[in-house]
Amino acid sequence: MTMEYRRVGRAGVRVSLLSLGSWVTYGNQVDEKASVELMAAARDHGVNFFDNAEVYAAGKSEELMGVSLKKLSWDRLTYMVSTKFFWGLPAKFGEGINERNTLNRKYLLNAIDRSLQRLQLEYVDIVYCHRADPNTPLEETVFAMHDIVASGKAVYWGTSEWSAADIMGAWQIAEKHHLHKPIVEQPEYNLFHRDKVEKEFARLYSEIGTGLTTWSPLASGLLTGKYANGVPADSRGSLKVMAWMQDRLTDETRNAAVAKLGKIAADLGCTAAQLAIAWCAKSPHVSTVITGASRVSQLRENMKALEVLPKLTPEVMAAIAQIAEGLAD
């Protein structure tokens, strides 16, 4: 089982096809000891990209990853770390009037400094605008992101859950003013959430070379099949931060489709989760599939998706598409 590495869009840097993210788990299911073990195990499997965000566990996720990286003492050139800004971590004063749900220049320049402190790093490899901000001029955001990269606090910048029109708009502003351009988008991508990656972004790949670091390959765990009979007490879906997802996770129609996918997975000699991750990685536009894990055993199982990739023949892909037809968001 050898890790594959792909370029992030047209950038020269390459990331592992499977990577490790910290959303939900870090600060909720994973403590410092588990974080070190997970990151070490991921690296042993060839993972070189670790995804984070300012808002995850209200900053604790970055802190955990920072402590872990310091303990692991890896050569900085051998791994990549990302973070994201938008939601903010506002102080009580003024209820975060300039630091909540925004991409204004003041907030962004402050946010990168605070994230680097939490991560205990001199720079991050990719910094994302976590959502689009209709209340800040796009030009202001693009100039701020350029300045973050130009200052050496980030190597590249990108977007997360932006529309194709906004991404193209940002790229064109950067092109016009000779600024650092957004090179990557981080969208949700799984069998139940496909349109953005497969349809809306089609022009971006060929025209400006946008790369993708996709999240939620298991549709928040739905594609594992473990929610067919409700929400298990020890699952992610049972966490308070996931309460808003419970109706979606227990949807009967989608769980029936997952059961059919489980049969295909069994025929291929893998789990439904491994099949779902491999399906995401099959897309040539995906630079890396961000996976999550709260235990080393879970991470190792996720990494076995690499063994499934060669088994995804056109016939298998067609069978999967037929099962998932009509179920995409």
Side-chain angles (χ1 to χ4, degrees):
M1 182 172 57
T2 304
M3 182 61 72
E4 179 183 340
Y5 298 88
R6 294 181 182 174
R7 289 174 62 189
V8 182
R10 291 178 181 168
V13 71
R14 293 193 297 164
V15 291
S16 50
L17 181 52
L18 302 185
S19 50
L20 181 64
S22 61
W23 180 54
V24 180
T25 53
Y26 277 47
N28 293 299
Q29 294 175 297
V30 172
D31 58 15
E32 184 180 315
K33 180 176 181 292
S35 172
V36 171
E37 291 175 348
L38 279 168
M39 293 180 72
R43 184 177 170 93
D44 288 343
H45 283 84
V47 170
N48 74 340
F49 182 64
F50 300 89
D51 182 72
N52 216 312
E54 171 192 64
V55 74
Y56 295 167
K60 292 179 182 178
S61 178
E62 287 181 320
E63 291 175 357
L64 266 178
M65 190 170 284
V67 169
S68 302
L69 287 168
K70 191 164 187 179
K71 287 192 173 184
L72 290 163
S73 299
W74 297 330
D75 187 315
R76 187 64 182 89
L77 281 172
T78 65
Y79 66 91
M80 297 178 64
V81 173
S82 67
T83 194
K84 312 178 198 72
F85 304 134
F86 174 74
W87 308 110
L89 297 176
K92 290 182 180 179
F93 176 78
E95 297 183 347
I97 192 67
N98 283 320
E99 51 186 317
R100 184 196 296 275
N101 302 349
T102 185
L103 294 174
N104 71 69
R105 179 179 179 84
K106 178 178 176 63
Y107 159 70
L108 289 171
L109 297 184
N110 183 270
I112 185 64
D113 288 339
R114 292 187 177 186
S115 274
L116 292 178
Q117 289 174 2
R118 288 189 290 269
L119 288 164
Q120 300 186 55
L121 295 174
E122 294 182 358
Y123 67 90
V124 291
D125 297 276
I126 303 176
V127 58
Y128 298 88
C129 295
H130 210 162
R131 290 295 186 275
D133 176 10
N135 299 310
T136 296
L138 187 54
E139 187 171 271
E140 177 178 336
T141 297
V142 173
F143 268 86
M145 297 306 287
H146 162 82
D147 286 343
I148 288 172
V149 174
S151 70
K153 295 175 183 179
V155 182
Y156 303 101
W157 79 275
T159 59
S160 181
E161 294 297 338
W162 279 33
S163 69
D166 283 343
I167 294 169
M168 181 64 80
W171 192 94
Q172 289 171 339
I173 289 170
E175 172 77 0
K176 177 181 177 181
H177 296 284
H178 307 288
L179 308 177
H180 289 287
K181 300 178 179 71
I183 67 159
V184 61
E185 158 67 13
Q186 186 171 121
E188 179 179 358
Y189 185 49
N190 54 61
L191 274 163
F192 296 142
H193 198 94
R194 309 191 303 274
D195 284 357
K196 233 177 188 181
V197 168
E198 297 176 3
K199 297 177 183 178
E200 183 183 341
F201 291 162
R203 285 184 56 199
L204 300 180
Y205 309 134
S206 59
E207 294 185 16
I208 63 175
T210 301
L212 301 178
T213 58
T214 63
W215 62 278
S216 198
L218 302 180
S220 298
L222 174 58
L223 285 162
T224 64
K226 64 185 174 185
Y227 296 106
N229 299 309
V231 180
D234 62 345
S235 67
R236 280 193 187 190
S238 67
L239 296 173
K240 185 177 181 180
V241 294
M242 295 292 285
W244 61 279
M245 283 287 299
Q246 290 189 1
D247 287 345
R248 191 173 173 183
L249 292 174
T250 55
D251 180 83
E252 291 184 7
T253 302
R254 290 190 173 188
N255 274 292
V258 172
K260 294 177 182 178
L261 291 168
K263 293 178 182 178
I264 293 179
D267 290 341
L268 297 177
C270 65
T271 66
Q274 290 159 358
L275 175 61
I277 293 170
W279 180 89
C280 294
K282 185 73 172 177
S283 171
H285 303 301
V286 172
S287 301
T288 186
V289 179
I290 300 169
T291 66
S294 56
R295 303 179 304 278
V296 170
S297 59
Q298 191 178 35
L299 180 141
R300 288 173 178 157
E301 286 299 305
N302 288 342
M303 293 296 129
K304 289 179 182 178
L306 294 170
E307 299 173 355
V308 183
L309 261 177
K311 301 177 182 180
L312 297 185
T313 63
E315 293 75 18
V316 171
M317 292 294 284
I320 294 172
Q322 186 173 13
I323 293 171
E325 186 176 358
L327 297 178
D329 292 332

